[in-house]
Amino acid sequence: MIYEDSYRHKGMRSRLVAHLQKKGITDLAILQAFGSVPRHFFIDTAFLEHAYEDKAFGIGEGQTISQPYTVAFQTQLLEVERGNKVLEIGTGSGFQSSILAELGARLYSVEVNRKLHNLARQRLQQLNYQATLVCGDGTRGLQTYAPYDRILVTAGAPVVPATLLEQLATGGILVIPVGDEKLQKMLKLVKTGDKQLRKEEHGDFSFVKLKGEKGW
């Protein structure tokens, strides 16, 4: 589906950026990315008037597009630098993928649902973002292109999949929500050595369930 990106939409994005700043997002590159990526491209037309509110919306297939603050918060924890090789687990609508691409990541993204995978591919192509999108079990990572400088998981996991830690480069960062099916702790794991990790916890969040061999 082709959407228009009007001056009105850009104004709505500016207000969203100001809101994210007030909530504690300080990374200017991330704020600029939110000012550039048209979120209304990624949601159902029924929600267009609310596209730039700080809310999650259903995208079908039992999945959601996360609220903008959650996307920004995870991205800020990830500390993406231009040129980083980034693996995203859970392409979903493609909005988080677009934010990462806008930041200059060399992006690889895995989505288990074929319909969502195809829709995300169309949206990223329409916006001219370059990314390698794969339909498959994200809990297994994507060994073909490993190791990765950054890994981001956009669904709630019962545990940290060992395969993702194995595919993370030394010095790399993994951000993943881990907990039960309703509430998860946002974890930031920094791989300081071959078998060494530094772990940080960053508050409670509620994500859809991570599906796959190492998920729910």
Side-chain angles (χ1 to χ4, degrees):
M1 183 175 291
I2 304 298
Y3 289 117
E4 177 192 6
D5 189 26
S6 66
Y7 284 112
R8 178 167 171 268
H9 291 122
K10 291 171 184 174
M12 293 164 76
R13 286 205 290 281
S14 293
R15 289 190 290 276
L16 174 60
V17 167
H19 170 77
L20 293 175
Q21 281 184 297
K22 288 179 181 177
K23 290 192 74 170
I25 302 302
T26 57
D27 188 308
L28 293 180
I30 292 172
L31 294 169
Q32 289 171 359
F34 270 83
S36 299
V37 177
R39 188 175 187 247
H40 64 285
F41 279 31
F42 299 88
I43 64 174
D44 190 277
T45 53
F47 299 127
L48 285 183
E49 288 302 309
H50 307 283
Y52 295 99
E53 294 176 9
D54 195 15
K55 295 178 180 178
F57 293 103
I59 56 172
E61 306 299 303
Q63 302 300 302
T64 62
I65 178 173
S66 294
Q67 72 178 93
Y69 173 72
T70 300
V71 174
F73 187 80
Q74 277 199 298
T75 307
Q76 187 161 272
L77 289 180
L78 203 62
E79 299 181 27
V80 176
E81 298 176 7
R82 185 165 293 276
N84 276 166
K85 187 192 288 187
V86 178
L87 174 63
E88 178 190 29
I89 306 302
T91 315
S93 70
F95 178 69
Q96 171 74 81
S97 310
S98 298
I99 293 292
L100 293 169
E102 184 70 24
L103 291 171
R106 289 182 292 147
L107 181 63
Y108 301 82
S109 186
V110 184
E111 171 55 51
V112 71
N113 184 284
R114 174 67 64 180
K115 182 177 179 181
L116 295 180
H117 163 79
N118 290 337
L119 284 171
R121 182 184 296 279
Q122 292 171 19
R123 288 162 176 155
L124 266 67
Q125 287 176 345
Q126 183 183 344
L127 292 168
N128 294 316
Y129 289 128
Q130 302 299 314
T132 299
L133 303 185
V134 174
C135 186
D137 182 352
T139 69
R140 297 178 180 176
L142 199 57
Q143 182 62 46
T144 305
Y145 304 100
Y148 302 94
D149 302 304
R150 304 286 187 268
I151 299 178
L152 177 64
V153 180
T154 64
V159 295
V160 179
T163 46
L164 299 185
L165 292 174
E166 291 165 3
Q167 292 174 30
L168 185 65
T170 299
I173 298 171
L174 166 63
V175 174
I176 178 171
V178 176
D180 60 31
E181 296 183 39
K182 293 185 178 180
L183 192 67
Q184 304 90 35
K185 290 282 185 188
M186 188 69 72
L187 302 184
K188 177 178 180 178
L189 303 171
V190 182
K191 195 170 186 178
T192 56
D194 189 38
K195 301 287 186 181
Q196 298 171 309
L197 291 171
R198 187 177 77 243
K199 175 181 171 183
E200 302 173 6
E201 289 190 3
H202 291 273
D204 294 327
F205 289 82
S206 181
F207 283 79
V208 296
K209 294 185 290 186
L210 178 66
K211 297 180 180 178
E213 182 183 332
K214 305 296 183 182
W216 292 102

